[in-house]
Amino acid sequence: MNVAVDLKAFKPEGPIPLVRNVPPGADYPVTSLGPLAEVAAAVHDMTQAPKALGAQSALGVAALAAQGLANVETLNGTSPLSLFLLSVAQSGERKSSGDRIVMQPVNDYQRELSDGYREDYGTYRNRLDIWEARRKSILKQAKSEGAPADLDALGPEPEPPLYPLIVATDPTVEGITRGLATYRPSLGIFSDEGGMFLGGSGMSDDNRQKTVTTLSAFWDGTAINRTRAADGASTHHGKRLSCHLMVQPVVAAGLLGDKMANGQGFLARFLMTEPRSTIGTRMHREPSPGSKLALDRFARRIDEMLRADFPLREGTRNEIEAPVLHLEPNARALLQAFADQLERAQASGNDLADVRPFASKAAEHAARIAGVLSCYAGETDVSAATMAHAIELVSYYLGETKRLADAAQLSQETQDAERLREWLSERWVEPFVSATDIAQYGPFRETKRARKVLATLEQFNWVTPVDGGAEIKGKQRREAFKVWRAAV
């Protein structure tokens, strides 16, 4: 007997997942961080956050401190020691706690520079006022005497002190490039709320192309060109930028699915990880005394590197012309063998065919990481042992890039629905919600868009429409949905 089943009427118990579970990645090879291994281990011991998060923070800060001091030899020339890192972790993973520990020496030095800057800027303003007064006097005298003004004797206009920016947490590319003439030549974009940067105006439809292109030029170490009608054109050489963004999975999915970011090789410049969660296993315990000692050693070394004089091109005050960390012969042979292996794996049908943009840069990533580790250790060349460590790290990042790229093939509709689902789960405490409330408090600012996303969540049973509406935050809403909550 045939029985007709109304599939539309069938409602399973509980909601249906919007996205498939991403298979867990490999453990981060912490020991391959060489001199930074103890730092990553200490952060994990202090916070119990995933080891990969502490590793990313330590590597990012080391790159920030090293990039202004040296370049590194690669198989095809030289490269900056700048690194771009992307750490993916859900809310509650203590990513901020660990990053705050590692960033402490950077923040302390930036605060010290800021205190000195105020005094230096006051001195500069006084000198500028005197210079401008003398200039006016020379011009006035020349006009009264009917003679040409002799301004050469006046000397050049005083330059303002370099603005003491080391790291920015929520910048725009336009803001950074506008200040390159008066900023220190080594900068960083470091944020434990990287979604603010990736979801801000810099990555809007109008500005995404400019942001991606400019950040890629920073990573490459090429000239930064800026042309604006208001203040003319300028070209800046010898600038360095490292980046560490910590984002939630839904933000990462949006970035990984961005055709422009992928098509232009922007994402291929990032070392990405999404470690397994440690939530639920972090029982209270006292950290090891050795962890504080390791972090103190790290802070002293980073402070020493930040205070070192930049190697500048003659006649400039903020244009880096760095010496090169050369590869020892055995280190170069290891890197060459790794590059050949990567090349074969990129052929159609092979393991890395789907991640060619990153795979094609993986050997350079390895050289950069090896250079950062060598510079941090105070070495003047890259040894074979350090290169072996760097290759193991990049092999890990290759696996993470492939894993995350596979999981990021989501439609915009699904990305929006997952974003709202996370917000309802983590931020919204009311039992009911409406499109108006989402537009007022939630991730979408348009009621029309919020209503459309709610319809998607309804299809997957994450929300259920309420006949007659409901009272929400003291206001009666005609259209309301009951939010699914897991039974406690």
Side-chain angles (χ1 to χ4, degrees):
M1 180 175 62
N2 295 325
V3 179
V5 179
D6 184 359
L7 294 177
K8 292 183 178 179
F10 177 71
K11 291 284 186 180
E13 294 183 6
I16 303 169
L18 288 160
V19 298
R20 65 182 176 86
N21 290 328
V22 181
D27 291 334
Y28 193 98
V30 174
T31 56
S32 294
L33 285 170
L36 295 176
E38 66 171 8
V39 184
V43 172
H44 172 70
D45 184 42
M46 298 284 281
T47 66
Q48 298 189 63
K51 291 180 180 179
L53 297 184
Q56 291 277 90
S57 293
L59 192 56
V61 170
L64 174 68
Q67 66 182 359
L69 303 180
N71 292 336
V72 67
E73 180 186 357
T74 68
L75 296 177
N76 300 296
T78 62
S79 290
L81 296 184
S82 305
L83 298 179
F84 284 9
L85 301 113
L86 184 72
S87 299
V88 184
Q90 61 182 296
S91 178
E93 286 290 2
R94 298 179 179 172
K95 54 184 181 290
S96 300
S97 300
D99 199 55
R100 194 178 304 119
I101 293 171
V102 178
M103 286 292 293
Q104 191 63 50
V106 178
N107 293 331
D108 287 345
Y109 185 53
Q110 182 163 270
R111 191 177 303 113
E112 180 183 327
L113 289 177
S114 296
D115 292 340
Y117 175 79
R118 286 191 287 271
E119 181 178 343
D120 293 342
Y121 192 81
T123 301
Y124 155 73
R125 285 298 313 176
N126 291 336
R127 292 176 57 212
L128 181 62
D129 289 344
I130 294 172
W131 184 88
E132 289 179 338
R134 288 176 176 171
R135 188 174 190 277
K136 289 180 180 178
S137 177
I138 292 172
L139 292 173
K140 182 178 180 180
Q141 181 178 353
K143 183 177 181 180
S144 65
E145 296 176 353
D150 183 13
L151 294 175
D152 291 339
L154 180 63
E157 179 179 338
E159 290 184 309
L162 294 177
Y163 188 74
L165 180 67
I166 301 178
V167 292
T169 57
D170 185 24
T172 63
V173 165
E174 174 65 21
I176 289 178
T177 56
R178 186 188 301 121
L180 286 178
T182 55
Y183 287 165
R184 289 161 49 90
S186 175
L187 302 169
I189 299 176
F190 282 65
S191 177
D192 57 6
E193 293 292 343
M196 295 174 61
F197 175 73
L198 294 174
S201 61
M203 291 297 283
S204 66
D205 291 342
D206 292 337
N207 297 324
R208 186 185 295 113
Q209 174 81 43
K210 176 176 62 180
T211 297
V212 166
T213 301
T214 303
L215 289 179
S216 296
F218 269 116
W219 187 88
D220 296 341
T222 55
I224 307 298
N225 297 309
R226 182 173 185 272
T227 304
R228 294 294 180 273
D231 50 8
S234 59
T235 300
H236 303 277
H237 300 273
K239 309 302 180 185
R240 298 291 182 266
L241 180 77
S242 279
C243 179
H244 183 200
L245 301 177
M246 294 183 164
V247 301
Q248 294 195 22
V250 66
V251 177
L255 181 63
L256 289 164
D258 189 301
K259 292 183 179 179
M260 179 182 295
N262 278 287
Q264 295 199 357
F266 176 61
L267 285 178
R269 291 168 168 83
F270 278 86
L271 304 171
M272 294 183 283
T273 182
E274 184 180 13
R276 279 175 282 192
S277 175
T278 58
I279 295 175
T281 67
R282 305 169 302 187
M283 306 307 160
H284 180 74
R285 57 174 172 73
E286 292 299 319
S288 165
S291 294
K292 185 179 185 306
L293 293 175
L295 291 169
D296 286 344
R297 286 191 292 270
F298 175 76
R300 287 194 298 271
R301 177 55 179 154
I302 294 299
D303 182 74
E304 179 184 26
M305 294 169 72
L306 291 174
R307 292 177 186 276
D309 292 335
F310 292 119
L312 301 176
R313 188 171 70 85
E314 186 176 355
T316 70
R317 62 178 189 148
N318 64 345
E319 185 178 317
I320 290 173
E321 191 172 77
V324 177
L325 293 168
H326 291 285
L327 307 181
E328 293 182 356
N330 288 341
R332 187 177 181 86
L334 282 175
L335 186 59
Q336 181 64 66
F338 182 53
D340 290 345
Q341 179 185 354
L342 292 168
E343 181 64 23
R344 287 189 291 270
Q346 293 177 63
S348 296
N350 287 353
D351 289 345
L352 301 181
D354 293 337
V355 287
R356 283 173 181 162
F358 184 89
S360 65
K361 287 181 169 57
E364 182 174 352
H365 280 302
R368 289 179 182 233
I369 293 174
V372 170
L373 298 180
S374 299
C375 187
Y376 177 82
E379 298 167 354
T380 56
D381 292 308
V382 176
S383 68
T386 300
M387 182 58 73
H389 284 323
I391 289 172
E392 185 172 354
L393 289 170
V394 172
S395 297
Y396 166 82
Y397 288 120
L398 266 167
E400 287 291 271
T401 297
K402 183 174 176 58
R403 185 174 66 89
L404 295 176
D406 288 344
Q409 304 304 313
L410 304 177
S411 67
Q412 188 61 53
E413 179 184 21
T414 303
Q415 290 178 36
D416 286 347
E418 180 66 8
R419 183 178 176 188
L420 180 58
R421 186 200 65 77
E422 288 193 350
W423 178 78
L424 290 171
S425 174
E426 298 172 5
R427 303 289 181 87
W428 187 251
V429 297
E430 301 288 329
F432 304 102
V433 72
S434 71
T436 302
D437 296 306
I438 294 169
Q440 185 174 357
Y441 305 107
F444 308 117
R445 293 292 176 256
E446 297 177 359
T447 303
K448 182 179 179 181
R449 184 180 180 188
R451 187 174 288 115
K452 182 178 179 181
V453 181
L454 277 170
T456 302
L457 288 184
E458 181 188 351
Q459 293 176 18
F460 288 82
N461 301 332
W462 289 99
V463 297
T464 305
V466 180
D467 291 338
E471 184 178 301
I472 305 172
K473 285 184 171 287
K475 296 181 179 180
Q476 186 65 30
R477 304 295 192 191
R478 288 184 299 175
E479 292 182 351
F481 292 80
K482 180 176 176 58
V483 180
W484 183 85
R485 304 291 189 196
V488 179

